[in-house]
């Protein structure tokens, strides 16, 4: 509570508040608990803490306690064993004042050794890639600490098992003999050890701590487990604060490294990843800011020291912001460098505006993996440099290159973009004098260039010219516009200055436009002729003014609906044919595509099926033969077909389909889609087999066969469209024609496709 008061009153970080309280107690020569009571303006405890009775040990062990519910170290001690407040304060001060990971782990070992007779302690931190990096150790020799410095996630060891399972390990005599797990065994494989997870108060796994004994133990009773877990949990609390706000970690560089970086770069920012419970990166803690740090929002470095990267730069998580770059660099291990001014949004101000507007820009951004974190360096460009950058972007976007020529000494200066327009290398080629420019253009354009030279050099007037050049290397012809003005001082021509502009795109567009006009006229004429031919073929084959068939006891109506007059005709087709056996052949199909190709494919399929029908075979066999012909004997035919053979004597309908929608049967005022037999599209598989279905019809039944252009909608699935069509198909009209007209008028398809409908009524 006292630390919280200091944090609120003085604006301190948690670590700074801890140090402040310890320093105040040391200066006053009193225990930390008494100083805390003074800060809170309360009376100190009436009895010494080391003589107070302890509560009995709870039923649950420490490794079962949830985040934020872990017991304090003293709660696990028997009466007379509770630590004094002064001892707790000294232990806390040793941990919070540790300069590096070695001292931090040494402070933990100093607490555990006298109480548990431990031989060694080591702490690993969980890295962003799942590996464990050694923070520090106390009691191991150099060989063991070197071998176990980094533990990859795929390495089977006790430490990674705790990370993966989230359960602490307690081995009184080492791992089971049958377990091949790799262990650090400075006192033998059967020595006792405990491996415990380090979690902050939010439950986020920070790493693991391992404790060794010199030999096996009889057992780890609940008191020992509870006390050791509580002390490690307290250590994890301080460790979490130190990691988030302090300069400590498994890979924290020394102050000498930071001093060297400050001499090399203007702005230096070091950030360490913060991870969630699952090991994912949730943010980056700012660990170091150089004295000359230049914030893109113009804030002082002291204001950012206690923030995370997302807190300091909320808009940098997407695109090429600081946070997004830090994640990429940490994941890939490869540095990123952005030369020149960085215009991507790096931060957001209080109004949500980008940090690059109205604030100092940054330039030459470099992001590199650095120890266990990510290091950013950049510099702040000057005013002249920002204007030069702006001018460079304008020249690049406008394909413009500037130049200047001093006539007195012949000095010529071209911008890099001017060299690029001519296809020249600035390091190898020399700028072209205006007096010699005509020698570098194609012969047909030399006269305009000479007039341009005369206007500048003799009449001393601004001039403009357009010429063509052949760039070396790619031999591309480029159209260049040059505009210039003379510089006259005391009636003497002393210099010329101007710019080149590549206008090839405009020139090529004009040429292509003229050619396109000619091609368009030809294409429109050919398209009109093809459309007329396809329309006449369709009308000749499926004339709507002729009755499709006159069959006994059957009333048939056919409707064909093109998309719109003037549009390309499609491949929808139908056929109703009386066979020699007096059976009725009913076919509806849809060949893919539009125009002359679809119509010719439709003609081929329709005529082929008519010829095959003479074999008196069933619908499934007919579709098998038609599919074979589509795959082998024709070119580019693909589509769907439903084929039915109706016997007027028995009123039996035998039918098959090739990828087509099912017929709809209207009976007794209700409509339903017939169950689908198997059958793939025509033209896909020459060995496809088709299943035949049988439907017994009776007097008064109406059968609807149609193509998908009649029911399909853009806003829904074909299944929903078929269901809605079936519901609207009943009841049947007084005859087939009225029923067909009603269905065609109510069709709400919007896919821009032709539609075909055949209505067969049994009378």
């Amino acid at each position: 509570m006292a630390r919280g008061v200091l944090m609120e009153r003085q604006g301190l970080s948690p670590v700074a508040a801890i140090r402040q309280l310890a320093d105040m107690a040391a200066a006053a020569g009193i225990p930390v608990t008494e100083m805390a009571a003074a800060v809170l303006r309360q009376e100190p405890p009436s009895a010494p803490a080391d003589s107070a009775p302890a509560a009995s040990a709870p039923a649950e062990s420490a490794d079962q306690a949830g985040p934020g519910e872990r017991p304090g170290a003293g709660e696990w001690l028997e009466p007379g064993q509770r630590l004094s407040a002064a001892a707790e304060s000294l232990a806390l001060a040793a941990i919070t004042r540790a300069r590096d990971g070695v001292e931090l782990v040494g402070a933990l070992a100093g607490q555990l050794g006298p109480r548990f007779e431990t031989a060694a302690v080591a702490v690993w931190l969980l890295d962003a890639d799942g590996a464990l990096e050694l923070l520090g150790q106390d009691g191991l020799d150099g060989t063991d600490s070197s071998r176990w410095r980094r533990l990859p996630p795929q390495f089977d060891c006790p430490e990674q098992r705790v990370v993966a399972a989230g359960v602490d390990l307690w081995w009184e005599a080492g791992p089971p003999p049958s377990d091949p797990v790799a262990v650090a065994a400075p006192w033998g494989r059967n020595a006792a050890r405990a491996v415990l997870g380090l979690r902050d108060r939010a439950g986020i796994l920070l790493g693991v701590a391992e404790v060794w004994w010199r030999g096996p133990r009889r057992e780890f009773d609940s008191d020992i487990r509870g006390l050791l877990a509580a002390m490690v949990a307290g250590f994890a609390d301080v460790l979490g604060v130190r990691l988030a706000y302090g300069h400590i970690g498994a890979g924290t560089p020394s102050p000498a490294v930071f001093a060297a970086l400050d001499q090399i770069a203007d702005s230096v920012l070091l950030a360490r990843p913060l991870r969630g419970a699952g090991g994912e990166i949730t943010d980056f803690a700012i660990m170091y800011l150089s004295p000359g740090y230049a914030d893109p929002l113009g804030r002082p470095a002291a204001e950012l020291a206690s923030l995370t990267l997302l807190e300091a730069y909320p808009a940098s998580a997407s695109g090429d912001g600081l946070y997004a770059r830090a994640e990429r660099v940490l994941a890939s291990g490869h540095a990123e460098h952005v030369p020149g001014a960085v215009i991507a949004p790096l931060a957001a101000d209080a109004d949500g505006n980008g940090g690059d507007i109205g604030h100092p820009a940054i330039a030459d951004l470099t992001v590199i993996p650095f120890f266990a974190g990510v290091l950013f360096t950049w510099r702040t460009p000057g005013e002249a440099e920002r204007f030069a950058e702006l001018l460079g972007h304008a020249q690049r976007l406008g394909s413009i290159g500037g130049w200047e020529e001093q006539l007195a000494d012949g000095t010529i200066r071209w911008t890099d973009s001017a060299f690029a327009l001519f296809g020249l290398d600035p390091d190898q080629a020399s700028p072209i004098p205006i007096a010699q420019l005509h020698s570098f253009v194609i012969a047909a354009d030399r006269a305009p260039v000479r007039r341009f030279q005369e206007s500048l050099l003799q009449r001393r007037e601004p001039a403009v010219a357009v010429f063509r050049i052949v760039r070396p290397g790619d031999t591309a012809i480029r159209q260049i516009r040059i505009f210039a003005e003379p510089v006259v001082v005391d009636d003497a021509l002393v210099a010329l200055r101007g710019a080149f502009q590549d206008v090839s795109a405009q020139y090529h567009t004009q040429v292509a436009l003229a050619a396109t006009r000619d091609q368009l006229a030809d294409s429109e004429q050919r398209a009109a002729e093809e459309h007329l031919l396809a329309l006449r073929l369709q009308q000749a084959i499926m004339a709507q003014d002729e009755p499709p068939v006159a069959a006994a006891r059957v009333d048939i109506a056919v409707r064909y609906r093109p998309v719109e007059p003037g549009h390309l005709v499609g491949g929808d087709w139908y056929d109703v044919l009386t066979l020699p056996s007096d059976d009725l052949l009913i076919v509806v199909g849809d060949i893919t595509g539009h125009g002359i190709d679809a119509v010719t494919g439709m003609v081929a399929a329709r005529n082929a099926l008519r010829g095959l029908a003479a074999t008196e075979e069933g619908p499934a066999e007919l579709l098998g033969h038609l599919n074979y012909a589509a795959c082998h004997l024709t070119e580019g035919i693909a589509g769907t077909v439903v084929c039915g053979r109706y016997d007027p004597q028995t009123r039996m309908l035998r039918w098959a389909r090739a990828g087509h929608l099912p017929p709809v049967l209207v009976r007794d005022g209700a409509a339903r889609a017939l169950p689908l037999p198997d059958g793939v599209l025509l033209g896909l598989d020459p060995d496809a087999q088709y299943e035949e279905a049988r439907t017994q019809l009776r007097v008064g039944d109406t059968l609807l066969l149609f193509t998908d252009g009649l029911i399909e909608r853009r806003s829904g699935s074909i299944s929903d469209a078929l269901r809605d069509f079936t519901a609207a198909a009943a009841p049947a009209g007084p005859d087939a024609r009225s029923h067909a007209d009603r269905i065609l008028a109510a069709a709400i398809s919007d896919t821009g496709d032709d539609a075909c409908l055949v209505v067969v009524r049994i009378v």
Side-chain angles (χ1 to χ4, degrees), residues 587-654:
V587 183
V588 171
D590 185 2
I591 301 299
T592 59
H594 291 87
I596 191 67
D597 292 336
V599 173
T600 54
M602 175 266 291
V603 173
R606 186 173 187 267
N607 291 340
L609 193 57
R610 279 200 165 198
L612 292 169
T615 62
E616 293 292 333
E617 291 186 335
E621 289 79 7
L622 292 179
L623 291 186
H625 296 320
L626 183 61
N627 176 65
Y628 183 87
C631 292
H632 292 292
L633 305 182
T634 59
E635 182 177 354
I637 291 183
T640 65
V641 177
V642 58
C643 177
R645 182 165 182 162
Y646 174 69
D647 184 352
Q649 301 299 324
T650 62
R651 299 191 184 92
M652 177 62 69
L653 174 69
R654 300 161 54 198

Side-chain angles (χ1 to χ4, degrees), residues 316-681:
S316 68
S318 60
D320 289 325
L322 295 182
Y323 185 90
R325 291 185 185 275
E327 278 192 320
R328 289 201 303 266
V329 168
L330 199 62
S332 66
H334 301 296
E336 291 188 7
H337 178 65
V338 185
V342 179
I343 60 176
L346 299 179
D349 54 25
D351 297 328
N353 299 319
D356 57 331
I357 301 176
H359 298 288
I362 67 174
D364 295 335
L365 173 66
T366 300
V367 190
I368 61 173
F370 194 71
F371 288 83
V374 177
L375 186 75
F376 298 88
T377 65
W378 62 71
R379 63 183 180 85
T380 304
E383 191 71 17
E385 189 174 4
R386 286 198 293 269
F387 276 116
E389 188 80 16
L390 181 62
L391 179 60
H393 288 309
Q395 291 182 354
R396 175 180 55 83
L397 294 173
S399 299
I400 297 176
W403 59 271
E404 183 182 67
E405 182 175 347
Q406 299 292 333
L407 299 180
D409 56 7
T411 302
I412 306 174
R413 291 191 302 171
W414 277 18
T415 63
D416 289 343
S417 55
F419 282 100
L421 293 181
F422 281 78
L424 302 176
D425 185 355
D427 298 329
Q428 303 293 332
S430 300
I432 302 171
I434 290 300
Q436 301 177 15
L437 183 61
H438 61 276
S439 302
F440 292 85
V441 305
I442 65 175
D445 294 339
R446 288 176 183 171
V449 172
R450 288 188 182 276
R451 290 194 295 270
F452 169 81
Q453 294 167 333
E454 181 180 349
S455 178
L456 277 177
L457 298 174
Q458 297 182 15
R459 294 196 297 270
R460 301 181 182 182
E461 297 174 351
V464 178
V466 179
F467 55 85
R468 287 166 292 178
I469 62 171
V470 179
R471 292 200 307 195
D474 59 3
T475 65
I477 298 179
R478 310 301 297 178
Q479 194 89 355
I480 305 295
R481 176 189 290 122
I482 181 174
F483 38 94
E485 65 178 6
V487 179
V488 179
V489 178
D490 296 334
D491 202 28
L493 181 62
V494 297
L496 304 172
R497 59 191 175 199
F500 301 107
Q501 183 178 19
D502 190 339
V503 294
S504 302
Q506 179 182 356
Y507 172 74
H508 293 156
T509 300
Q510 292 174 348
V511 174
L513 186 59
T516 302
R517 289 194 188 99
D518 297 338
Q519 294 176 359
L520 184 60
D522 295 340
S523 299
E524 289 178 346
Q525 183 177 359
R526 286 196 302 270
E529 293 174 353
E530 290 182 359
H531 177 72
L532 182 59
L533 176 60
L535 189 59
R536 287 177 177 174
L537 280 173
Q538 191 180 60
Q539 292 174 346
I541 295 170
M542 295 187 297
Q544 298 190 46
D545 56 352
E546 296 181 3
V549 72
R553 298 185 300 277
V554 176
D555 182 18
I556 299 178
V558 176
R559 297 293 182 267
Y560 178 82
R561 185 192 66 186
V563 183
E564 288 182 16
H567 281 64
L568 287 175
V569 294
D572 290 21
W573 58 285
Y574 60 86
D575 201 0
V576 181
L577 180 67
T578 302
L579 300 177
S581 61
D582 291 334
D583 285 358
L584 194 63
L585 183 70
I586 309 170
V587 183
V588 171
D590 185 2
I591 301 299
T592 59
H594 291 87
I596 191 67
D597 292 336
V599 173
T600 54
M602 175 266 291
V603 173
R606 186 173 187 267
N607 291 340
L609 193 57
R610 279 200 165 198
L612 292 169
T615 62
E616 293 292 333
E617 291 186 335
E621 289 79 7
L622 292 179
L623 291 186
H625 296 320
L626 183 61
N627 176 65
Y628 183 87
C631 292
H632 292 292
L633 305 182
T634 59
E635 182 177 354
I637 291 183
T640 65
V641 177
V642 58
C643 177
R645 182 165 182 162
Y646 174 69
D647 184 352
Q649 301 299 324
T650 62
R651 299 191 184 92
M652 177 62 69
L653 174 69
R654 300 161 54 198
W655 65 283
R657 57 179 283 273
H660 203 85
L661 295 172
V664 172
L665 176 62
V666 181
R667 173 180 291 173
D668 298 334
R672 63 182 178 90
L674 298 181
L676 284 174
D678 292 336
V680 299
L681 276 71

Side-chain angles (χ1 to χ4, degrees), residues 189-407:
R189 189 176 175 90
N190 64 342
R193 70 185 67 219
V195 186
L196 296 87
L198 298 173
R199 297 182 180 275
D200 63 12
R201 289 197 174 274
I204 298 175
L205 184 66
L206 305 175
V208 296
E210 185 166 4
V211 182
W212 287 268
W213 284 262
R214 295 185 180 277
R217 292 179 59 92
R218 181 172 55 86
E219 65 174 343
F220 290 112
D221 57 26
S222 60
D223 292 339
I224 295 297
R225 291 187 183 220
L227 177 59
L228 183 59
M231 297 182 70
V232 170
F235 172 80
D237 288 340
V238 180
L239 177 63
V241 175
R242 295 293 304 271
L243 289 175
Y245 299 98
H247 302 159
I248 197 164
T252 304
S254 65
V257 175
F258 288 117
L261 287 172
D262 295 340
Q263 299 298 321
I264 297 174
D266 295 342
S267 293
V268 177
L269 185 154
L270 179 63
R272 183 188 61 80
L274 301 175
R275 292 170 296 274
E280 73 281 1
I281 295 177
T282 59
D283 205 341
F284 287 83
I286 297 177
M287 299 179 61
Y288 178 77
L289 296 171
S290 62
Y293 180 78
D295 177 46
L297 294 179
R299 297 167 294 183
E303 185 177 335
L304 308 176
S306 60
L307 302 180
T308 66
L309 201 58
L310 282 181
E311 290 171 346
Y313 305 109
S316 68
S318 60
D320 289 325
L322 295 182
Y323 185 90
R325 291 185 185 275
E327 278 192 320
R328 289 201 303 266
V329 168
L330 199 62
S332 66
H334 301 296
E336 291 188 7
H337 178 65
V338 185
V342 179
I343 60 176
L346 299 179
D349 54 25
D351 297 328
N353 299 319
D356 57 331
I357 301 176
H359 298 288
I362 67 174
D364 295 335
L365 173 66
T366 300
V367 190
I368 61 173
F370 194 71
F371 288 83
V374 177
L375 186 75
F376 298 88
T377 65
W378 62 71
R379 63 183 180 85
T380 304
E383 191 71 17
E385 189 174 4
R386 286 198 293 269
F387 276 116
E389 188 80 16
L390 181 62
L391 179 60
H393 288 309
Q395 291 182 354
R396 175 180 55 83
L397 294 173
S399 299
I400 297 176
W403 59 271
E404 183 182 67
E405 182 175 347
Q406 299 292 333
L407 299 180

